[in-house]
Amino acid sequence: MGVNQPAAPAVLAIDAGNSKTDVALVGADGTVLGTGRSGGFQPPRVGVEAAVDVLGHAVAEAAEAAGLPRLRPGAPYAAQVAACLSNADFPVEERQLADAISARGWGAATEVRNDTFAILRAGLSGPGRPRGVAVVCGAGINCVGMLPDGRTARFPAVGAISGDWGGGGGLAEEALWWAARAEDGRGGPTGLAAALPGHFGLGSMYELIEALHLGSLARRRLHELVPVLFAVAAAGDAVASAIVERQADEVVALASVALGRLDLLGRKAPVLLGGSVLTARHPQLNSRIEAGLSERAPHARVSVVAAPPVLGAGLLGLDALGSPPEAYGKLRTHFG
């Protein structure tokens, strides 16, 4: 290798959620050679090819940061593409997305997983395939589990039609439902009826409903109501507390079922919690999760994963290549 030639990456790690995409080019020794960021990955809305184009923007940025030459046919950026993607909820979607990414020529081999696997892997140290369960509660909610022999436990996680409840979007909608009924008399009193519109500088739920319906307040801002819900619950509001408790119980149910499918209910196993709702460490939510799991899975070791999910994608790539133990430590150190 010439003095001015960049090191050849071993792994192209991709973590793509609904709101953003993070990419890292990782050397065989675990060194991060370049990173990139682009927008959200939403193939159901824009189509597979357009969604992969969004990944391409972050990949190109990482390649430029790594000093790699322009991509040429037969000369991929990395030996292994490890892509953990939102909206890859069924194996058929993973295969479709893997084919689309492989066609871009970014790596000699490509593996696509749901983005929840990135949280699972990021929360587990050392080389080798992971053993444990991860629950992600961010904009939505999902759970996966994995054993070193490759067996997995997972859920479709495509909303109400697959039995899901909660996540940031669901919590905001639930809080609005109870607040609206409190104000118009169909439901009991709750502090949410004043707190939710108050967050947007409005005087009533009627005004908030009107603003959302007519579009003067963008629905994408509903995620701002999740911290408001938790604050009202922490102040002792019974309705808000019931919503928080139901979310905790959903997390416990997901994790317990996944552990059971992998025969881990009676064994020591990590349960990793990720996503913005869980990493906020709301005491009322997380303590109820820990209490619920202590009953249903007494040997589970619960922890919150604060590391960026792209780390998990990178570690999965190193797993696929059978990388040396020191590479894992170097990659983890880079991402803190």
Side-chain angles (χ1 to χ4, degrees):
M1 180 179 294
V3 174
N4 296 320
Q5 279 188 287
V11 175
L12 172 60
I14 303 173
D15 172 72
N18 281 295
S19 60
K20 65 178 175 63
T21 295
D22 282 318
V23 165
L25 280 160
V26 183
D29 65 349
T31 300
V32 174
L33 305 172
T35 61
R37 174 168 285 188
S38 60
F41 184 72
Q42 300 182 14
R45 187 172 68 86
V46 302
V48 169
E49 290 304 319
V52 175
D53 286 343
V54 175
L55 304 184
H57 297 317
V59 171
E61 184 177 301
E64 183 178 359
L68 297 181
R70 193 175 187 87
L71 188 66
R72 304 184 308 278
Y77 287 137
Q80 180 74 37
V81 176
C84 296
L85 310 176
S86 64
N87 299 296
D89 297 301
F90 292 87
V92 65
E93 292 175 313
E94 290 176 336
R95 291 192 297 270
Q96 181 185 34
L97 291 167
D99 289 344
I101 291 172
S102 294
R104 302 299 175 105
W106 297 335
T110 299
E111 186 172 37
V112 169
R113 297 181 181 276
N114 179 270
D115 57 341
T116 310
F117 283 99
I119 297 294
L120 174 61
R121 191 62 184 91
L124 300 174
S125 60
R129 289 183 178 272
R131 175 181 179 272
V133 165
V135 181
V136 174
C137 188
I141 188 166
N142 199 358
C143 174
V144 299
M146 191 173 184
L147 293 176
D149 62 11
R151 283 184 290 158
T152 63
R154 58 191 300 176
F155 301 83
V158 291
I161 62 170
S162 59
D164 307 323
W165 187 90
L171 289 171
E173 294 280 358
E174 191 77 3
L176 285 166
W177 190 87
W178 284 100
R181 293 172 70 87
E183 182 172 276
D184 68 22
R186 287 177 291 172
T190 171
L192 294 169
L196 300 188
H199 172 76
F200 297 112
L202 300 173
S204 68
M205 279 302 299
Y206 184 92
E207 291 180 25
L208 176 54
I209 294 163
E210 181 182 62
L212 290 168
H213 176 67
L214 297 179
S216 58
L217 180 66
R219 292 187 68 85
R220 67 176 180 272
R221 294 192 62 190
L222 288 181
H223 71 89
E224 298 175 24
L225 296 179
V226 178
V228 179
L229 165 66
F230 280 100
V232 174
D237 186 87
V239 170
S241 292
I243 298 172
V244 171
E245 289 167 3
R246 182 178 177 187
Q247 182 66 92
D249 295 345
E250 286 290 316
V251 172
V252 171
L254 283 165
S256 299
V257 170
L259 288 166
R261 290 179 183 174
L262 298 174
D263 298 319
L264 293 176
L265 274 176
R267 306 179 188 181
K268 289 183 179 180
V271 174
L272 294 315
L273 306 180
S276 58
V277 174
L278 295 175
T279 58
R281 300 176 188 266
H282 299 288
Q284 191 173 0
L285 177 68
N286 290 39
S287 61
R288 187 176 176 93
I289 291 170
E290 292 180 10
L293 281 170
S294 70
E295 292 182 8
R296 297 184 62 173
H299 301 289
R301 303 190 303 275
V302 183
S303 60
V304 175
V305 179
V310 70
L311 166 63
L315 294 172
L316 286 167
L318 294 179
D319 291 342
L321 296 175
S323 301
E326 56 269 22
Y328 291 81
K330 182 172 285 189
L331 179 59
R332 190 174 290 279
T333 297
H334 176 89
F335 286 106

